[in-house]
Amino acid sequence: MKHVILLVILFIHNSMAGVLLEPHTSINISGSATLLGESYSLSAFDGGIGVGYQNTWKFFKGEFVGNYRNFESEAGKNESFIGRQFVVGAGLNFSNAFRLFGGMIIGAQMKSNADQSIYSGSGFKGELSFIVYKPWNMFLFTEYKSETYSKRKSASGVVTKLEGDLQLKVSSFALGVSFPFDLWGRQIR
């Protein structure tokens, strides 16, 4: 019963208050990675959904993100990864024209398609988005991610702690679109 009362209070607090659902997709426009002391350029594609709570000018959300990444060294060495991330953070909504979001990347994992090893880590994400099509509440966003993977599990199950130059470090800028909806599928206006 306490949970129902809390939900009612949250929903009547403001006419724009409600549960936030936000599907999104992005493509990497610039990025780099360092793996075992070697530098790589990065191409990537991300897609996912954010779930949270939005009020007039603030919102909180958790995101589940799936991604595909390809690393390419100057020597022509390629390695691709498929991964997932959980992001938890908060943001500000300015007149529903642009939004700022910052969050911690937790539970990040990437699996190498070359040797099937799994890298685990965490990081930070910052995002700036602008409304581009009001009838659909479509936002264009740019995001910056900085991630550090400090644990590697080989295909045979051997876990290695990665430190210093051995860590997998990824930083990237991406461009994408998102569609924030309330719980009932209507765009938040």
Side-chain angles (χ1 to χ4, degrees), residues 4-91:
V4 173
I5 293 170
L6 179 61
L7 280 175
V8 169
I9 290 170
L10 289 176
F11 280 97
I12 64 172
H13 174 66
N14 185 296
S15 62
M16 279 192 60
V19 175
L20 172 67
L21 298 175
E22 185 173 2
H24 57 86
T25 186
S26 66
I27 189 163
N28 185 66
I29 55 175
S30 174
S32 63
T34 305
L35 175 59
L36 302 174
E38 188 173 354
S39 296
Y40 293 82
S41 62
L42 169 70
S43 58
F45 174 80
D46 290 359
I49 188 160
V51 178
Y53 170 77
Q54 176 165 299
N55 201 333
T56 303
W57 57 272
K58 61 187 177 290
F59 61 96
F60 308 95
K61 69 177 174 176
E63 293 181 343
F64 173 77
V65 180
N67 54 46
Y68 171 81
R69 295 176 173 179
N70 188 60
F71 297 172
E72 185 175 347
S73 71
E74 290 181 14
K77 179 181 173 188
N78 280 316
E79 188 161 357
S80 60
F81 295 85
I82 294 176
R84 62 148 172 87
Q85 299 173 342
F86 297 103
V87 181
V88 177

Side-chain angles (χ1 to χ4, degrees), residues 111-124:
K111 183 176 184 178
S112 169
N113 290 337
D115 63 6
Q116 304 302 304
S117 59
I118 298 173
Y119 293 84
S120 302
S122 59
F124 170 80

